[in-house]
RNA sequence: GUGGAUGUAGCUCAAUGGUAGAGCCCCGGUUUGUGGUACCGGUGGUUGUGGGUUCGAGUCCCAUCAUCCACCCCA
């Protein structure tokens, strides 16, 4: 390369070793989600900018400074999606499904946020998301958490902590918020600079501050949990009963706050302490107001998103599949026939690499490097007799076989 | 957006301000029908980039870009 061409900052290439891990996660997700009768949807990566302004909230960091938004050649304001829920709701409304009963959707694909990269945080990252439209819970909340748990368990992830909270609703949150702001004003002198900013933008975030002084000052802060309206309190209580009944362990964390404006009531995070500062691996909650907010009828809904790269960091990437056979072709005369034999074996379902002809030593080296289980030597002698020389690469044993014998012995 | 650490061969890393090196990998040979071991040889670098200081800069200074980590925020 004359000049260094690099991918954009925070946007990484998925190379084979890593992608095998992604594929495994996706495969497990599909299997588990389908068992709960969810269906995959494929949604646009490009959406109108306004969609996110109206759903996530214009004051959030995501919308105010992290979106890849631009005006296209036709003058339209479009952006790369920073998350999946808003687009899913848009699609649900656009397809006219509001009177078709509950919809169970999942999707996987890239999201884009222009943040400063760090461990577990990229500018283009992949999410596996799931949305359940038209269900008010709390039964469905329980089922969704059971599904999420089943997914993570199927991946072999243990040691994840489920943290649960209720964010209240339109009825009870405003009063609580006012109460909290009053409290915060009283202790403002003890709060850090960023907390002062949070007091205006999103006061509930103050509760989540990592600063020790702030946490000390906040020890008597009012919590949403203690100020839920009767309906929200009942919802939360029945959710907890359901989780207990299914034996799903969790801890109530009154400080977890979902970052996006549209969440209400149930909020949850599956977190690990193995990923540094970005320990949230799967998170979501209820967003009963969003569909109406985007122009549809009042429709309750709940969903979550999981970070694929974060999950992958917690798992071993699977080993590549070893070729069953490496074909070593000796002599110009046998080359074409050896290629035909390689294809014939592939048609039988075997993984076959052809070593390209040329020197025997070179080809055996390739076969070794590919970690092929067997090498098939195909030279002029074999071609005339219609057989292969089969070499076991571990024992070094060699014998002559016909194609039929070979296929039979591999069953 | 803020702060810290780090940028030398494809990879992992050396080089008191004085000729840019090693190991691994890759290619070839010792063996023109036999790999993993061994030996021999070879390819490969404007030291991230651009300035500055100096007789002389991989080394010191400034800027910039990128990576990593943390803040912020979030999956």
């Amino acid at each position: 390369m004359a000049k260094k061409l690099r991918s954009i900052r925070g946007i990484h290439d998925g190379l084979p070793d890593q992608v095998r891990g992604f594929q495994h996660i996706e495969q497990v997700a599909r299997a588990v989600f389908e068992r709960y009768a969810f269906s995959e949807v494929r949604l646009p990566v490009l959406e109108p900018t306004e969609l996110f302004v109206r759903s996530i909230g214009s004051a959030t960091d995501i919308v105010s400074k992290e979106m890849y938004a631009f005006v296209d050649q036709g003058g339209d304001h479009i952006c790369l999606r920073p998350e999946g829920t808003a687009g899913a709701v848009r699609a649900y409304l656009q397809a006219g499904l509001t009177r078709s009963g509950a919809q169970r959707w999942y999707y996987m694909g890239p999201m884009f946020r222009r943040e400063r990269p760090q461990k577990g945080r990229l500018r283009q990252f992949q999410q596996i998301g799931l949305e359940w439209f038209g269900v008010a819970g709390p039964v469905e909340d329980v089922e969704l958490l059971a599904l999420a748990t089943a997914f993570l368990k199927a991946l072999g992830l243990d040691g994840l902590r489920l943290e649960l909270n209720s964010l209240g609703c339109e009825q009870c949150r405003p009063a609580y918020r006012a109460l909290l702001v009053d409290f915060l004003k009283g202790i403002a002198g003890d709060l850090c600079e960023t907390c002062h900013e949070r007091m205006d933008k999103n006061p509930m975030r103050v509760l989540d501050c990592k600063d020790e002084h702030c946490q000390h000052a906040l020890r008597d802060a009012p919590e949403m949990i203690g100020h839920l309206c009767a309906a929200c309190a009942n919802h939360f209580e029945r959710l907890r009963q359901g989780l207990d009944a299914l034996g799903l362990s969790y801890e109530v964390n009154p400080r977890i706050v979902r970052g996006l404006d549209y969440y209400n009531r149930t909020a949850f995070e599956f977190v690990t302490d193995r990923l540094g500062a970005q320990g949230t691996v799967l998170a979501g909650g209820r967003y009963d107001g969003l569909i109406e907010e985007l122009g549809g009828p009042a429709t309750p809904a709940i969903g979550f998103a999981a970070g694929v790269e974060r999950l992958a960091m917690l798992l071993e990437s699977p080993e590549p599949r070893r070729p069953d056979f490496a074909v070593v072709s000796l002599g110009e005369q046998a080359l074409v026939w050896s290629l035909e034999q390689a294809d014939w074996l592939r048609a039988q379902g075997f993984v076959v690499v052809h070593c390209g002809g040329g020197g025997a030593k070179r080809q055996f080296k390739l076969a070794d490097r590919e970690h092929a289980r067997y090498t098939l030597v195909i030279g002029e002698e074999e071609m005339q007799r219609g057989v292969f020389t089969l070499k076991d690469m571990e024992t070094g044993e060699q014998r002559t076989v016909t194609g039929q014998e070979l296929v039979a012995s591999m069953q």
Side-chain angles (χ1 to χ4, degrees):
Chain A
M1 286 192 283
K3 278 189 177 179
K4 278 190 181 167
L5 284 175
R6 291 190 53 91
S7 65
I8 295 165
R9 176 173 210 186
I11 299 185
H12 293 185
D13 301 310
L15 300 179
D17 283 345
Q18 205 183 8
V19 170
R20 275 194 300 276
F22 296 161
Q23 288 174 330
H24 175 245
I25 291 166
E26 290 161 2
Q27 182 189 325
V28 168
R30 287 196 168 90
V32 174
F33 298 172
E34 299 277 345
R35 215 177 297 145
Y36 282 79
F38 280 71
S39 300
E40 182 171 353
V41 290
R42 307 262 172 123
L43 301 172
V45 168
L46 288 169
E47 291 279 6
T49 305
E50 189 196 355
L51 172 63
F52 300 103
V53 175
R54 283 176 53 184
S55 59
I56 302 175
S58 56
T60 60
D61 282 9
I62 291 177
V63 167
S64 63
K65 50 194 184 194
E66 294 176 1
M67 284 218 292
Y68 284 98
F70 55 98
V71 181
D72 74 5
Q73 289 89 331
D76 294 327
H77 288 71
I78 63 178
C79 67
L80 290 163
R81 62 182 182 190
E83 59 99 35
T85 300
V89 170
R90 196 226 79 236
Y92 167 78
L93 292 174
Q94 187 171 329
L97 294 168
T98 56
R99 301 183 72 88
S100 300
Q103 300 293 311
R104 294 179 296 265
W105 287 4
Y106 72 90
Y107 50 85
M108 37 192 76
M111 306 294 166
F112 304 83
R113 295 179 197 170
R114 199 182 181 289
E115 301 181 273
R116 187 88 168 254
Q118 71 179 80
K119 188 180 183 69
R121 193 170 74 184
L122 296 166
R123 289 185 171 183
Q124 176 176 340
F125 59 101
Q126 302 171 82
Q127 282 189 340
I128 296 177
L130 183 143
E131 316 290 349
W132 196 349
F133 301 125
V135 292
V139 172
E140 289 79 8
D141 299 29
V142 173
E143 283 223 280
L144 187 93
L145 285 165
L147 177 156
T149 303
F151 168 51
L152 296 168
K153 190 178 172 191
L155 286 174
L157 253 30
D158 40 23
L160 289 178
R161 189 167 66 250
L162 169 57
E163 299 190 350
L164 192 64
N165 193 18
S166 176
L167 305 177
C169 65
E170 286 182 319
Q171 302 302 315
C172 49
R173 186 147 48 159
Y176 164 72
R177 187 186 155 116
L179 192 70
L180 176 64
V181 170
D182 276 350
F183 174 85
L184 294 176
K185 280 177 182 165
I187 60 163
D190 296 326
L191 294 176
C192 70
E193 200 172 318
T194 43
C195 276
H196 280 94
E197 288 170 30
R198 285 190 272 238
M199 276 174 66
D200 300 327
K201 275 168 57 184
N202 189 348
M204 289 169 78
R205 277 244 163 266
V206 175
L207 298 176
D208 211 12
C209 186
K210 289 172 185 168
D211 186 281
E212 280 182 28
H213 290 92
C214 292
Q215 281 306 323
H216 185 71
L218 288 164
R219 65 194 184 285
D220 295 323
E223 291 169 344
M224 185 70 245
I225 281 281
H227 298 270
L228 296 173
C229 62
C232 284
N234 181 53
H235 189 279
F236 193 58
E237 183 54 31
R238 289 178 60 200
L239 166 59
R240 296 184 59 171
Q241 285 169 3
L243 294 175
D244 291 340
L246 289 182
L248 301 178
S249 57
Y250 61 91
E251 55 189 68
V252 175
N253 179 354
R255 301 173 332 171
I256 67 170
V257 182
R258 306 277 58 242
L260 285 46
D261 279 2
Y262 52 64
Y263 285 109
N264 70 307
R265 288 195 173 163
T266 309
F268 58 87
E269 296 186 0
F270 286 85
V271 297
T272 174
D273 48 17
R274 286 204 286 140
L275 287 182
Q278 312 296 328
T280 302
V281 132
L282 184 155
R286 183 157 277 288
Y287 48 95
D288 294 335
L290 179 58
I291 293 170
E292 188 172 19
E293 184 69 26
L294 291 178
T299 308
I302 187 167
F304 67 71
V308 175
E309 287 86 354
R310 288 185 186 177
L311 288 170
M313 279 191 280
L314 296 174
L315 299 166
E316 299 280 324
S317 205
E319 292 291 312
R321 178 162 178 192
R322 289 172 63 177
D324 298 302
F325 300 111
V327 173
V328 168
S329 174
L330 297 170
E332 279 300 308
Q333 306 300 317
L335 184 59
V336 168
W337 193 69
S338 73
L339 288 167
E340 289 169 358
Q341 299 315 301
D343 268 347
W344 177 76
L345 283 166
R346 291 178 184 123
Q348 308 299 309
F350 298 110
V351 179
V352 182
V353 292
H354 190 286
C355 294
K361 183 185 179 70
R362 189 192 73 86
Q363 294 190 71
F364 270 91
K365 272 191 172 174
L366 282 175
D368 192 55
R369 196 183 306 158
E370 298 278 359
H371 298 110
R373 194 163 276 109
Y374 298 102
T375 295
L376 281 183
V377 183
I378 301 181
E380 287 163 29
E381 200 181 312
E382 284 84 356
M383 180 173 68
Q384 276 160 21
R385 293 174 53 197
V387 297
F388 308 137
T389 298
L390 175 73
K391 176 168 183 173
D392 184 317
M393 292 301 276
E394 274 163 32
T395 65
E397 282 171 23
Q398 227 167 261
R399 64 192 169 98
T400 302
V401 294
T402 67
Q404 297 305 326
E405 287 168 350
L406 180 61
V407 171
S409 72
M410 294 289 289
Q411 302 301 326

